[in-house]
Amino acid sequence: QVQLVQSGAEVKKPGSSVKVSCKASGGTFSSYAISWVRQAPGQGLEWMGGIIPIFGTANYAQKFQGRVTITADESTSTAYMELSSLRSEDTAVYYCARDLSEWLPHKQGDAFDIWGQGTMVTVSS
Amino acid sequence: EIVMTQSPATLSVSPGERATLSCRASQSVSSNLAWYQQKPGQAPRLLIYGASTRATGIPARFSGSGSGTEFTLTISSLQSEDFAVYYCQQYNNWPGTLTFGPGTKVDIK
């Protein structure tokens, strides 16, 4: 059974960066897209971007372009999300999530069936 | 960017009753639509994908329908564990932005 285990909570100053990890265990890593989704306190879900580890290139939501970097390390089955120029509005729980099925050419996209436990990032001076 | 809307924002239902939740896309997403359930302090759980296919382990009381721009999630007989927030999500335009609806909270009447 595949599990995604994320790194622990972070407290950051405005203007700094945070890097959250998401380690997959128990199954295939490289051929499934991993996305990052965040949720501000009391708010809804917001997709930030995703990556297909076997290709290594990421796709980002326009809102986060230039501020987020998503990477993956196939050797350790770990995905990373780094968010820079942090502001108070970035205070949120950050989730990684895996696609339901493996990547295929011309695949439109997929639902997320496996989620990490979430990482709370607090931005405060 | 495809905008997802959900209605109602809050749905008050008695246990055993039927709940019908709606989701609308600003443009067609074909059947590339998923529904998630989220309880406080937990990660979302996939209920439905492909607009109408139940995910593994999801009870038959959950059903999804629709295509294009209009979608519905129906919970046929609400159980106590079903009181939660429900989100729809389109995944039609990868590598474009994948978007979630704002959610519908189902609470106890």
Side-chain angles (χ1 to χ4, degrees):
Chain A
Q1 179 75 342
V2 177
Q3 280 191 302
L4 300 177
V5 179
Q6 299 182 221
S7 50
E10 303 263 12
V11 179
K12 294 292 183 179
K13 300 283 190 191
S16 67
S17 298
V18 68
K19 191 170 187 177
V20 181
S21 67
C22 170
K23 183 173 176 62
S25 62
T28 306
F29 175 73
S30 296
S31 56
Y32 286 79
I34 297 284
S35 284
W36 288 88
V37 176
R38 77 176 186 180
Q39 186 170 39
Q43 303 302 307
L45 302 169
E46 185 173 35
W47 183 81
M48 301 178 69
I51 189 168
I52 303 169
I54 197 170
F55 296 118
T57 52
N59 176 43
Y60 304 115
Q62 192 162 7
K63 174 178 178 177
F64 299 100
Q65 286 273 6
R67 215 163 60 93
V68 69
T69 304
I70 295 173
T71 56
D73 182 343
E74 290 183 81
S75 67
T76 60
S77 298
T78 303
Y80 300 90
M81 186 283 301
E82 184 171 22
L83 187 62
S84 62
S85 302
L86 289 169
R87 36 211 190 227
S88 58
E89 310 89 88
D90 294 318
T91 294
V93 176
Y94 289 76
Y95 294 102
C96 60
R98 197 191 81 159
D99 271 11
L100 175 64
S101 58
E102 288 185 277
W103 181 86
L104 288 171
H106 310 300
K107 180 179 169 182
Q108 282 284 7
D110 214 343
F112 307 141
D113 73 326
I114 298 172
W115 293 69
Q117 82 277 19
T119 297
M120 182 70 212
V121 175
T122 302
V123 183
S124 174
S125 55
Chain B
E1 178 177 312
I2 298 174
V3 177
M4 307 300 291
T5 57
Q6 291 185 244
S7 60
T10 303
L11 185 61
S12 296
V13 185
S14 299
E17 288 188 340
R18 181 187 193 91
T20 302
L21 289 65
S22 296
C23 173
R24 176 176 291 180
S26 61
Q27 64 189 75
S28 176
V29 298
S30 186
S31 294
N32 295 310
L33 190 285
W35 289 94
Y36 300 86
Q37 176 193 69
Q38 189 180 34
K39 297 179 181 179
Q42 296 184 15
R45 177 173 73 141
L46 177 65
L47 299 175
I48 301 285
Y49 63 94
S52 61
T53 303
R54 277 189 302 277
T56 302
I58 301 304
R61 64 180 181 273
F62 291 92
S63 63
S65 64
S67 66
T69 62
E70 301 280 346
F71 301 89
T72 301
L73 175 70
T74 302
I75 311 171
S76 60
S77 177
L78 267 151
Q79 306 298 302
S80 58
E81 62 267 29
D82 300 336
F83 293 97
V85 180
Y86 293 83
Y87 295 95
C88 62
Q89 178 221 359
Q90 67 81 17
Y91 50 91
N92 189 64
N93 63 334
W94 178 272
T97 298
L98 310 183
T99 46
F100 289 89
T104 291
K105 182 179 181 181
V106 177
D107 65 15
I108 301 174
K109 188 174 183 180

